[in-house]
């Protein structure tokens, strides 16, 4: 139409060369608007890609379209890739893509990470039939050249728009499906999934990032009592987060999330600087404190330069290495790669001592006691509670203490709350107690005041008298 109009105009006015200009405008319009097939299609699997999926989601959301998404996630793709190689894995994925497309007669999308999505517009009965057909097919092995292998999948149906509040919920459901383990059923319905935990994780991650930027983290110190001297001789440094909007957030919530997102390295830097600043500005030995226990993340220890950087920071603040005890969890000790062991050994040679934390939480391995240079074994509160109430628990606890003592380790009982526990675990041979019986974790200055009164109570009592 534009070219025809320009041709007529040029016929009437021969001096106006508008026809070629109109043709150029048309060509430019085609160039901008027409999408190249390779932009929408996964070139290897020959189904639609994640970019196309995002466009379909957005278009249907704006139109409030009723349809179903069937998500198909391959659970053991990484294992198959290791067994057969990338080429064979790609062939299996291509066969699965072809099957899903031929069976569904619908649009199939590949989102990467071994995850397919099918859009079903023909009603819920059809989506239910398709789920059953896919499940039945995956009960049989898949061919990859001369190899034949079983493939495990997880399926989910998402009814839109009923099952979502926003487009992001679709991706949250897909993430949820990918995180399930193989003990849970094959087919999961989105309507039975509570996304509250996922949203809560997003909020916690936002709070953690804000805390790092706005300095909302604080360090608290929980006293550790020496059975033999009757004094508070050390403390465990514990990080706390109190967000201006969401209030107190437990380390049990934000630490695992920070490890998954990589924020743990920034948190580790904050913890180290805060503890070293506290130790530099206060002569802890005058309070009777011999060392501060500091928790280490596995991810920190797995950094190639961790030991070197940590020693540099000790020297920068002028901290005596013997006044630091670094805690590593038993899980980390059992599964420690070479680089973690190398870092710990390097720090130990420079005078730092180590504790094995959370002992007895289900990952016990005698090699962790023998291979790593730990001086202290910290028995977890769950083991303490079991030993307090159960005879078999007491036998396990007592045997574990004897074993650790024979290996030359000192014993800390965590989570001590009663006089009964004090007597029981003193008789068993524990060297240190930590728990609410003595004190909750305290802010730095409150901790120093508590230790001064506790360790020099005879002086305080005499003065008050």
């Amino acid at each position: 139409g534009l070219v025809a109009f320009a041709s007529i105009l040029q016929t009437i006015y021969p001096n106006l060369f508008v026809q070629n200009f109109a043709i150029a405008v048309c060509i430019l319009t085609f160039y901008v608007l027409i999408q190249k097939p390779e932009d929408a299609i996964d070139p290897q699997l020959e189904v639609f890609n994640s970019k196309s999926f995002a466009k379909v989601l957005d278009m249907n959301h704006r139109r409030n379209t009723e349809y179903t998404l069937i998500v198909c996630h391959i659970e053991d793709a990484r294992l198959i890739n290791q067994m057969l190689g990338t080429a064979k894995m790609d062939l299996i994925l291509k066969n699965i893509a072809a099957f899903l497309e031929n069976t569904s007669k619908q649009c199939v999308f590949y989102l990467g990470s071994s995850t397919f999505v099918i859009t079903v517009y023909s009603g819920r009965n059809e989506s239910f039939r398709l789920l059953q057909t896919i499940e039945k097919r995956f009960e049989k092995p898949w061919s990859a050249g001369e190899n034949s292998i079983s493939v495990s999948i997880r399926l989910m149906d998402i009814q839109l728009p009923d099952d979502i509040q926003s487009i992001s919920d679709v991706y949250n459901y897909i993430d949820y499906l990918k995180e399930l383990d193989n003990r849970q059923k094959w087919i999961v319905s989105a309507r039975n999934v509570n996304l509250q935990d996922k949203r809560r994780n997003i909020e916690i991650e936002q709070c953690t990032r804000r805390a790092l930027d706005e300095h909302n983290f604080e360090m608290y110190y929980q006293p550790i009592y020496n059975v033999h001297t009757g004094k508070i001789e050390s403390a465990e440094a514990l990080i706390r987060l109190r967000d201006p909007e969401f209030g107190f957030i437990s380390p049990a919530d934000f630490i695992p999330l920070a490890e998954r997102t990589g924020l743990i390295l920034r948190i580790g830097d904050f913890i180290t600087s805060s503890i070293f600043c506290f130790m530099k500005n206060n002569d802890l030995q005058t309070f009777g404190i011999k060392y501060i226990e500091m928790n280490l993340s596995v991810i920190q220890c797995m950094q190639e330069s961790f030991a070197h950087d940590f020693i540099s920071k000790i020297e920068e603040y002028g901290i005596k290495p013997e006044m630091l005890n670094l805690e590593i969890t038993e899980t980390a000790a059992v599964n420690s790669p070479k680089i973690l062991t190398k870092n710990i050994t390097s720090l130990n040679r420079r005078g730092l001592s180590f504790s094995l934390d959370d002992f007895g939480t289900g990952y016990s391995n005698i090699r962790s006691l023998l291979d790593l240079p730990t001086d202290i074994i910290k028995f977890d509160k769950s083991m303490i509670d079991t030993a307090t109430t159960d005879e078999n628990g007491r036998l396990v606890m007592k045997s574990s203490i004897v074993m650790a003592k024979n290996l030359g380790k000192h014993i800390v009982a965590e989570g001590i709350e009663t006089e009964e526990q004090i007597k029981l675990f003193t008789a068993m041979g524990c060297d240190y107690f930590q728990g609410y019986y003595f004190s909750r974790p305290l802010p730095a200055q409150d901790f120093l005041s508590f230790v001064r009164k506790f360790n020099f109570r005879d002086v305080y009592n005499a003065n008050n008298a």
Side-chain angles (χ1 to χ4, degrees):
L2 180 62
V3 173
F5 176 76
S7 299
I8 294 169
L9 191 63
Q10 186 164 331
T11 302
I12 298 171
Y13 302 102
N15 294 329
L16 294 177
F17 298 100
V18 294
Q19 186 177 16
N20 289 340
F21 175 74
I23 293 173
V25 170
C26 290
I27 293 172
L28 180 62
T29 303
F30 285 135
Y31 181 79
V32 171
L33 295 181
I34 294 178
Q35 187 179 42
K36 293 184 293 183
E38 55 265 33
D39 289 340
I41 302 293
D42 185 289
Q44 187 173 353
L45 304 185
E46 298 178 354
V47 293
F48 291 106
N49 58 22
S50 58
K51 187 188 294 185
S52 299
F53 180 64
K55 288 181 178 179
V56 169
L57 268 185
D58 181 63
M59 179 181 67
N60 286 341
H61 188 67
R62 283 189 280 108
R63 295 176 178 176
N64 203 34
T65 305
E66 290 189 9
Y67 66 113
T68 302
L69 292 177
I70 293 179
V71 185
C72 175
H73 175 65
I74 301 171
E75 285 187 331
D76 45 10
R78 183 178 297 179
L79 178 61
I80 295 172
N81 192 61
Q82 291 174 347
M83 291 170 54
L84 302 180
T86 303
K88 295 289 179 64
M89 185 67 228
D90 290 344
L91 182 57
I92 291 174
L93 287 175
K94 190 167 185 177
N95 290 337
I96 291 173
F99 161 76
L100 294 176
E101 199 167 38
N102 294 332
T103 303
S104 67
K105 308 299 181 185
Q106 308 276 348
C107 290
V108 177
F109 302 84
Y110 183 65
L111 307 188
S113 302
S114 308
T115 303
F116 295 88
V117 178
I118 307 169
T119 52
V120 182
Y121 296 92
S122 49
R124 297 191 178 184
N125 289 336
E126 175 61 20
S127 63
F128 181 70
R129 183 199 66 77
L130 187 55
L131 281 168
Q132 290 184 316
T133 302
I134 295 171
E135 181 183 23
K136 191 172 183 63
R137 172 61 186 87
F138 275 86
E139 291 175 355
K140 303 174 184 177
W142 290 83
S143 174
E146 67 276 13
N147 299 104
S148 185
I149 189 166
S150 296
V151 177
S152 299
I153 59 165
R154 184 83 50 212
L155 296 168
M156 174 183 279
D157 73 291
I158 308 172
Q159 306 291 337
L160 288 92
D162 295 349
D163 289 342
I164 68 168
Q165 296 178 9
S166 65
I167 289 178
S168 63
D169 283 348
V170 172
Y171 292 100
N172 288 337
Y173 280 127
I174 293 172
D175 288 343
Y176 173 88
L177 185 71
K178 289 157 68 173
E179 290 167 4
L180 292 176
D181 60 46
N182 55 16
R183 290 171 295 178
Q184 291 156 305
K185 58 184 181 180
W186 271 36
I187 301 177
V188 181
S189 181
R191 70 184 65 89
N192 297 325
V193 174
N194 184 1
L195 282 182
Q196 204 61 37
D197 291 341
K198 189 73 178 179
R199 295 190 185 103
R200 175 64 174 165
N201 285 343
I202 293 172
E203 290 174 352
I204 291 173
E205 182 179 350
Q206 292 171 345
C207 291
T208 304
R209 293 184 185 278
R210 183 162 58 234
L212 287 167
D213 295 335
E214 300 177 5
H215 310 291
N216 293 331
F217 284 120
E218 296 179 76
M219 293 307 301
Y220 278 52
Y221 298 85
Q222 186 169 32
I224 298 176
Y225 174 81
N226 187 320
V227 174
H228 309 293
T229 64
K231 304 282 188 181
I232 300 294
E233 289 192 353
S234 59
E236 180 179 358
L238 299 164
I239 191 168
R240 295 290 182 262
L241 169 56
R242 196 173 300 278
D243 186 79
E245 181 180 352
F246 294 97
F248 176 77
I249 299 174
S250 170
D253 291 328
F254 71 80
I255 291 295
L257 193 64
E259 289 181 329
R260 291 198 297 271
T261 59
L263 291 174
I264 194 66
L265 296 178
R266 290 181 62 191
I267 292 175
D269 289 340
F270 167 82
I271 291 173
T272 302
S273 298
S274 298
I275 294 173
F276 287 5
C277 188
F278 169 66
M279 296 175 72
K280 181 178 180 179
N281 294 335
N282 298 278
D283 187 356
L284 299 183
Q285 290 179 321
T286 62
F287 293 84
I289 300 298
K290 294 183 177 180
Y291 61 89
I292 295 292
E293 292 186 357
M294 174 180 169
N295 290 283
L296 291 182
S297 162
V298 179
I299 296 176
Q300 283 179 281
C301 295
M302 287 174 62
Q303 302 303 304
E304 188 75 43
S305 63
F306 174 71
H308 176 268
D309 295 343
F310 196 83
I311 290 296
S312 297
K313 208 150 195 174
I314 287 177
E315 294 173 348
E316 176 188 343
Y317 281 86
I319 306 298
K320 297 177 181 177
E322 62 270 18
M323 289 199 68
L324 283 171
N325 179 274
L326 306 181
E327 291 189 14
I328 54 173
T329 64
E330 189 179 359
T331 310
V334 171
N335 298 288
S336 57
K338 291 181 180 180
I339 188 167
L340 183 146
T341 306
K342 177 184 173 184
N343 278 325
I344 290 175
T345 303
S346 298
L347 291 171
N348 183 249
R349 287 172 180 166
R350 296 299 296 267
L352 286 88
S353 61
F354 284 83
S355 296
L356 187 64
D357 197 16
D358 298 338
F359 189 82
T361 53
Y363 294 93
S364 299
N365 187 324
I366 192 64
R367 297 306 311 176
S368 61
L369 295 177
L370 299 175
D371 292 345
L372 295 173
T374 52
D375 302 301
I376 296 171
I377 306 298
K378 301 189 75 172
F379 283 83
D380 186 73
K381 185 181 186 302
S382 61
M383 197 168 182
I384 298 298
D385 291 341
T386 301
T388 304
T389 59
D390 181 74
E391 181 62 32
N392 289 333
R394 278 193 286 276
L395 290 173
V396 171
M397 179 81 177
K398 189 170 183 178
S399 298
S400 299
I401 291 174
V402 170
M403 174 190 67
K405 286 280 192 178
N406 288 338
L407 291 171
K409 313 294 184 182
H410 298 290
I411 307 298
V412 177
E414 294 186 290
I416 297 297
E417 297 178 349
T418 66
E419 183 73 31
E420 176 191 2
Q421 289 176 327
I422 293 288
K423 294 177 181 177
L424 176 63
F425 297 115
T426 298
M428 285 189 185
C430 289
D431 303 292
Y432 301 96
F433 291 138
Q434 178 181 349
Y436 284 7
Y437 179 84
F438 298 96
S439 173
R440 294 172 177 268
L442 299 168
Q445 294 308 312
D446 293 344
F447 165 73
L448 292 177
S449 298
F450 172 83
V451 172
R452 184 186 290 112
K453 291 178 182 178
F454 190 98
N455 284 350
F456 304 105
R457 52 190 179 275
D458 294 339
V459 176
Y460 272 88
N461 291 337
N463 290 339
N464 291 334

